[in-house]
């Protein structure tokens, strides 16, 4: 059964990207309202997709055939969607019951070009917020606290964990940059959206709970790989927007961090810094147009 057979005319397609996400995907899919379609794009998970049998509702599963990266898989899901709107949701995130209704009310209020995010909450109830890209970070002390937020507000960053957008607007924007394998693809999307004056709006009446770090089965080896990807992606985005940093200075800082973590017998921090150090010297693709 396909996702679109659940309702005659779904109003929204929720796109998930999985990679060894069997521990969390069923719960995430169960949080999607019945009048929405679901597409799950699997990036050739080594553990396979045995979770398909545990889903509580129909979903179209799209096998990528290889681990193509987060953005490429998101784009594949958006291209397959048949609804006017798409929503990208991490497999370790769960939508509140009225979140989609609140997002559609915001779409009517703010127009077809708006990128709409629910308020993303951690499992401890704290807001997970990032107000700017890697080029214009807003320090925590400068951010509004929950008591100071009276309603929806514009922000400078599209959080890739959960956002809704008109499908045609997303594709016209170019979707995610497929040269970015993992991490900082949402920084790049934010910068391109802002260049086109597309509003990025946090809809406070919509909620999503994001576990964070639960999209794939954790392992120590993954720490090195994740931070390698982060460094590769940051270098790519900086090159794309001509905001490069000194590689020598960055390497010296990371090397010092590795040594200090080793002296403190902290293997996790060693893996973090070693991964970033390795990613600093990886070959990268030429940036695509902005």
């Amino acid at each position: 059964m396909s996702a679109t057979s659940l309702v005659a005319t779904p109003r929204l397609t929720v796109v998930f990207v999985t990679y060894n996400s069997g521990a969390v995907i069923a719960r995430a899919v169960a949080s999607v309202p019945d009048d929405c379609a679901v597409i799950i794009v699997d990036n050739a998970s080594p553990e396979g997709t045995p979770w398909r049998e545990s889903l509580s509702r129909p979903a179209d599963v799209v096998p990528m055939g290889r681990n193509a990266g987060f953005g490429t898989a998101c784009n594949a899901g958006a291209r397959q969607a048949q609804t006017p709107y798409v929503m990208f949701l991490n497999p370790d995130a769960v939508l509140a019951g009225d979140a989609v209704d609140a997002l559609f009310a915001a779409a009517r209020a703010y127009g077809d070009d708006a990128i709409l995010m629910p308020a993303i909450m951690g499992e401890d109830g704290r807001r997970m917020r990032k107000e700017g890209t890697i080029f214009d970070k807003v320090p925590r002390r400068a951010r509004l606290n929950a008591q100071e937020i009276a309603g929806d507000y514009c922000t400078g960053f599209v959080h890739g964990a959960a956002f809704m957008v008109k499908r045609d607007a997303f594709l016209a924007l170019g979707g995610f940059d497929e040269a970015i394998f993992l991490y900082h693809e949402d920084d790049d999307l934010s910068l391109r959206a802002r260049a086109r004056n597309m509003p990025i709006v946090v809809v406070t009446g919509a909620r999503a709970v994001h576990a964070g770090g639960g999209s794939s089965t954790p392992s120590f080896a993954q720490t090195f790989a994740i931070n390698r990807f982060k460094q590769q992606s940051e270098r790519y985005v900086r090159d794309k927007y001509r905001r490069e940093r000194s590689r020598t200075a960055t390497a010296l800082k990371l090397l010092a961090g590795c040594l200090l973590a080793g002296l403190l017998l902290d293997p996790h921090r060693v893996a973090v810094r070693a991964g970033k150090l390795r990613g600093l010297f990886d070959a990268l693709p030429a940036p695509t147009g902005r």
Side-chain angles (χ1 to χ4, degrees), residues 19-20 42-48:
Y19 183 81
N20 286 356
D42 185 70
N43 262 329
S45 296
E47 68 181 19

Side-chain angles (χ1 to χ4, degrees), residues 119-133:
I120 301 173
M121 317 297 291
E123 291 184 312
D124 59 0
R126 296 181 61 183
R127 289 178 182 263
M128 300 175 67
R129 297 172 57 201
K130 180 179 175 182
E131 304 297 347
T133 69

Side-chain angles (χ1 to χ4, degrees), residues 66 68-76 79 88 163 170-193 229 232-241 284-290:
R66 63 187 178 92
F70 177 76
T72 299
C74 283
N75 290 349
R79 286 191 293 268
F88 301 98
F163 71 93
F170 177 76
L171 295 177
L173 187 59
F176 285 110
D177 186 337
E178 296 190 4
I180 302 174
F181 179 73
L182 189 64
Y183 298 107
H184 298 303
E185 63 281 305
D186 42 11
D187 287 277
D188 173 68
L189 186 72
S190 303
L191 291 164
R192 285 185 283 121
F229 292 141
Q232 291 173 358
S233 299
E234 180 172 346
R235 283 177 54 211
Y236 175 88
V237 173
R238 287 187 175 279
D239 188 27
K240 182 173 181 175
Y241 293 92
L284 299 179
T288 62
R290 282 181 277 176

Side-chain angles (χ1 to χ4, degrees), residues 117-251:
M117 291 186 293
I120 301 173
M121 317 297 291
E123 291 184 312
D124 59 0
R126 296 181 61 183
R127 289 178 182 263
M128 300 175 67
R129 297 172 57 201
K130 180 179 175 182
E131 304 297 347
T133 69
I134 55 175
F135 301 143
D136 50 15
K137 295 179 181 179
V138 178
R140 292 184 182 277
R141 65 179 180 279
R143 301 174 194 173
L144 296 175
N145 61 46
Q147 291 72 33
E148 295 173 313
I149 298 173
D152 301 345
Y153 62 94
C154 287
T155 185
F157 180 75
V158 181
H159 201 306
F163 71 93
M164 187 180 89
V165 64
K166 198 79 178 285
R167 177 179 177 271
D168 289 347
F170 177 76
L171 295 177
L173 187 59
F176 285 110
D177 186 337
E178 296 190 4
I180 302 174
F181 179 73
L182 189 64
Y183 298 107
H184 298 303
E185 63 281 305
D186 42 11
D187 287 277
D188 173 68
L189 186 72
S190 303
L191 291 164
R192 285 185 283 121
R194 285 159 51 175
R196 296 194 184 193
N197 296 316
M198 294 177 67
I200 303 170
V201 183
V202 176
V203 181
T204 57
R207 296 292 179 97
V209 177
H210 181 216
S215 296
S216 59
T217 305
S219 70
F220 177 79
Q222 237 182 7
T223 302
F224 179 93
I226 284 171
N227 285 277
R228 183 179 181 181
F229 292 141
K230 284 182 178 179
Q231 187 68 270
Q232 291 173 358
S233 299
E234 180 172 346
R235 283 177 54 211
Y236 175 88
V237 173
R238 287 187 175 279
D239 188 27
K240 182 173 181 175
Y241 293 92
R242 300 179 181 89
R243 300 285 292 273
E244 299 92 341
R245 293 193 300 190
S246 168
R247 195 179 306 188
T248 300
T250 303

Side-chain angles (χ1 to χ4, degrees), residues 76-116:
R79 286 191 293 268
Q80 178 151 323
Q82 301 296 312
T83 53
Y85 284 87
V86 292
M87 182 177 191
F88 301 98
L89 188 66
N90 273 19
D92 57 353
V94 176
L95 291 173
D98 56 353
V100 171
D101 287 338
L103 290 169
F104 269 96
R108 291 189 293 270
Y110 305 130
D112 287 343
D113 286 340
I115 298 174
L116 305 165

